[in-house]
């Protein structure tokens, strides 16, 4: 089993990327003002080769390959075989194999939850939550974080090599659902010999996976922590995703999804998609507090379409840094998986039916300024769990940090998660820290 992995002191981050200098960005912030030539040139040949390598042979990750004898049955009605799952582990699995926590990542996350990212060299995306002495304590629990199906950091996705053609899958990969992701994770746990999880935790798309885990495998989940999520994607969220997908597909470098074969990359389209999505992760108050109407490195407007305002420069930087580490087709696949997620649809149109008789205990968390997955979505989860007779606690945290609050320094969230896991550990008979 993996040894305990520590990490550097966490820094505030918003959906992984943070504003500031990045050694992998060839143009500094001052040059990131024009979404044109720099956006094309900022992603270098080195970056492209790194990303391709991560898709098939991910660095600093564990990898399980499932052969033709273990196909994955997809909701699309076909089987995926062979396929692979990349993952990271932290901490030590106890002798009884009862202290495992599965951490599910969000749309643009990956398995590097509490360790340095091999491409960007940034710290783990949830090091505020996962690590030695953190609420999800790697000195007490065994943490497993897999890259989801359809992503681009080692688990089979559109940038992975199709064994039949020896070319990247591209759009030939079947469409993936949240339930498909969870099925693949269950196969991973079977491979690891872990029959039951102490807990499953995640925010946003990760929270959707948590809910799907509790619905599909109730006897394998002792405790569930769905944060800032919903039982289905709203029409507004589907609309935002469609704008992002159209931005990618409108880029002439997308080539109908065959850009790897043509040696191109729809960087501009993916960057614009990221910029639009990133706005939904924040709040008006957070944007005003951070940027207001402050100008970027100038005292007067330029009367041009350069990035006059700091908020413009920030968003363009988010787009530039995102294309270094993410695949455009994966963005299409994962946003579509979120759009298709509708837990009630699989249970006669009633969410409570998904959890009827469940032994799992739940802690549902929302944030007051999250307009992507507002508190009303979390309350709907709680009402369904109550109707199903499940054990559930609920917390709405007051913050102006928006949807990304679950990734940031939120002491109240840390206290809630720690308290919930401590209580669940006592109920399961897990020993406390020595």
């Amino acid at each position: 089993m993996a040894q305990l992995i520590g990490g550097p002191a966490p820094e505030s981050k918003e959906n992984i990327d943070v504003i500031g200098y990045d050694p992998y960005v060839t143009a500094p912030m001052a040059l990131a003002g024009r979404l044109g030539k720099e956006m094309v040139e900022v992603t270098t040949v080195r970056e492209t080769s790194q990303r391709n390598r991560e898709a098939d042979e991910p660095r600093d990750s564990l990898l399980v390959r499932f052969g033709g004898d273990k196909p994955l049955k997809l909701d699309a009605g076909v089987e995926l075989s062979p396929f692979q799952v990349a993952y990271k582990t932290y901490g030590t699995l106890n002798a009884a194999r009862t202290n495992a926590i599965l951490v599910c990542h969000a749309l643009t996350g990956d398995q590097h939850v509490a360790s340095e990212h091999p491409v960007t060299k940034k710290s783990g995306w949830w090091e505020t939550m996962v690590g030695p002495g953190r609420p999800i304590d790697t000195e007490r629990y065994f943490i497993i974080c897999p890259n989801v199906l359809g992503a681009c950091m080692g688990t089979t996705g559109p940038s992975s090599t199709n064994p039949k053609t020896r070319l990247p899958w591209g759009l030939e990969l079947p469409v993936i659902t949240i339930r498909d992701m969870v099925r693949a994770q269950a196969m991973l746990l079977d491979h690891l010999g872990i029959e039951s999880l102490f807990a499953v935790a995640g925010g946003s798309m990760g929270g959707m996976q948590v809910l799907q885990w509790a619905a599909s495998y109730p006897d394998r989940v002792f405790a569930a922590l769905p944060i800032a999520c919903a039982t289905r994607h709203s029409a507004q969220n589907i609309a935002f995703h469609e704008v992002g997908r159209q931005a990618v597909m409108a880029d002439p470098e997308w080539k109908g999804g065959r850009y790897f074969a043509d040696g191109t990359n729809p960087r501009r389209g993916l960057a614009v998609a990221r910029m639009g999505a990133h706005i939904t992760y924040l709040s008006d108050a957070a944007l005003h507090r951070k940027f207001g109407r402050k100008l970027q490195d100038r005292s007067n407007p330029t009367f041009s379409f350069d990035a006059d305002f700091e908020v413009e420069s920030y968003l363009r930087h988010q787009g530039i840094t995102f294309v270094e580490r993410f695949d455009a087709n994966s963005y299409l696949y994962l946003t579509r998986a979120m759009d298709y997620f509708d837990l009630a649809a699989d249970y006669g149109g009633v969410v409570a039916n998904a959890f009827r008789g469940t032994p799992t205990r739940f802690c549902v968390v929302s944030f007051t300024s999250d307009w992507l997955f507002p508190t009303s979505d979390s309350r709907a989860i709680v009402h369904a769990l109550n109707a199903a007779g499940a054990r559930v606690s609920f917390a709405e945290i007051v913050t102006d940090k928006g949807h990304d609050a679950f990734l940031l320094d939120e002491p109240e969230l840390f206290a809630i998660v720690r308290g919930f896991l401590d209580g669940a550990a006592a109920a399961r008979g897990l020993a406390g820290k020595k």
Side-chain angles (χ1 to χ4, degrees):
M1 293 301 168
Q3 298 299 312
L4 177 65
I5 300 176
E11 60 185 18
S12 294
K13 51 179 70 66
E14 288 166 344
N15 215 23
I16 300 175
D17 296 322
V18 292
I19 191 167
Y21 174 73
D22 189 308
Y24 278 77
V25 178
T26 59
M29 282 292 291
L31 295 180
R34 291 183 296 277
L35 188 62
K37 183 178 179 181
E38 290 87 348
M39 188 60 72
V40 176
E41 294 179 349
V42 71
T43 306
T44 63
V45 173
R46 175 185 61 175
E47 171 272 320
T48 301
S49 63
Q50 284 180 336
R51 189 182 58 239
N52 293 352
R53 179 173 60 190
E54 294 300 327
D56 290 327
E57 300 288 344
R59 289 170 291 169
D60 193 26
S61 297
L62 299 171
L63 191 66
V64 176
R65 292 186 172 94
F66 296 97
D69 59 326
K70 294 183 178 180
L72 176 63
K73 295 182 179 180
L74 302 177
D75 283 345
V78 298
E79 292 184 345
L80 182 63
S81 176
F83 74 99
Q84 64 184 40
V85 178
Y87 65 103
K88 292 277 293 184
T89 65
Y90 308 81
T92 303
L93 187 64
N94 63 15
R97 297 177 177 263
T98 56
N99 69 332
I101 295 180
L102 183 74
V103 173
C104 302
H105 69 73
L107 170 62
T108 64
D110 49 49
Q111 65 269 38
H112 302 284
V113 60
S115 51
E116 183 181 89
H117 195 283
V119 176
T120 66
K121 306 304 178 184
K122 292 179 180 177
S123 58
W125 57 266
W126 219 8
E127 282 195 340
T128 54
M129 183 68 72
V130 180
R134 301 290 182 193
I136 301 179
D137 192 348
T138 52
E139 293 177 329
R140 186 179 188 186
Y141 307 116
F142 178 64
I143 315 305
I144 309 162
C145 186
N147 191 217
V148 298
L149 197 68
C152 52
M153 288 297 291
T155 296
T156 297
S159 58
S160 304
T161 300
N162 181 342
K164 294 180 180 179
T165 65
R166 300 296 179 184
L167 297 172
W169 274 98
L171 299 193
E172 292 182 359
L173 183 76
V175 171
I176 302 300
T177 66
I178 298 295
R179 185 160 55 182
D180 293 333
M181 297 175 188
V182 169
R183 288 192 189 107
Q185 292 164 4
M187 291 177 68
L188 169 64
L189 292 182
D190 292 341
H191 173 80
L192 297 176
I194 298 174
E195 296 181 2
S196 174
L197 290 163
F198 167 58
V200 185
S204 194
M205 189 185 84
M208 291 179 171
Q209 294 167 69
V210 173
L211 294 174
Q212 188 66 65
W213 258 102
S216 296
Y217 304 100
D219 294 330
R220 299 189 72 171
V221 180
F222 187 80
L225 257 167
I227 304 171
C229 65
T231 61
R232 64 178 182 177
H233 228 198
S234 69
Q236 176 177 264
N237 289 350
I238 294 172
F240 279 122
H241 276 174
E242 177 60 6
V243 171
R245 287 191 292 266
Q246 288 299 320
V248 171
M249 293 187 286
D251 190 324
E253 301 301 312
W254 184 60
K255 304 290 185 180
R258 297 182 294 273
Y259 47 89
F260 282 113
D262 287 359
T264 62
N265 194 349
R267 299 181 183 94
R268 294 184 186 180
L270 182 58
V272 171
R274 170 63 173 183
M275 290 167 67
H278 195 76
I279 297 169
T280 70
Y281 305 145
L282 307 175
S283 70
D284 180 59
L287 285 169
H288 179 75
R289 170 169 45 81
K290 179 176 284 190
F291 304 110
R293 291 180 53 83
K294 290 180 287 187
L295 298 177
Q296 174 71 26
D297 297 330
R298 63 203 66 181
S299 56
N300 294 297
T302 63
F303 292 96
S304 72
F305 295 102
D306 198 356
D308 277 359
F309 295 96
E310 283 189 0
V311 68
E312 293 176 300
S313 183
Y314 170 72
L315 288 175
R316 295 182 186 192
H317 177 72
Q318 290 294 324
I320 288 172
T321 55
F322 184 58
V323 300
E324 307 162 22
R325 63 178 181 83
F326 214 81
D327 174 58
N329 281 339
S330 281
Y331 193 82
L332 305 185
Y333 274 80
L334 299 189
T335 55
R336 180 54 92 196
M338 293 181 71
D339 293 348
Y340 279 164
F341 185 65
D342 184 354
L343 205 55
D346 298 324
Y347 295 90
V350 180
V351 177
N353 290 343
F355 305 112
R356 195 78 62 185
T358 181
T360 306
R361 59 189 65 211
F362 295 80
C363 179
V364 180
V365 181
S366 70
F367 303 98
T368 54
S369 56
D370 184 354
W371 57 279
L372 192 63
F373 291 99
T375 292
S376 58
D377 288 342
S378 292
R379 290 190 185 279
I381 297 171
V382 173
H383 292 159
L385 289 168
N386 284 332
R391 283 173 287 194
V392 56
S393 57
F394 169 63
E396 180 185 36
I397 297 175
V398 178
T399 177
D400 70 352
K401 295 176 183 176
H403 179 63
D404 264 356
F406 80 94
L407 295 170
L408 304 178
D409 186 5
E410 278 291 346
E412 188 175 354
L413 175 63
F414 302 154
I416 290 168
V417 172
R418 189 186 300 274
F420 174 69
L421 292 180
D422 283 348
R428 200 175 200 194
L430 289 181
K433 289 179 63 174
K434 294 180 181 180

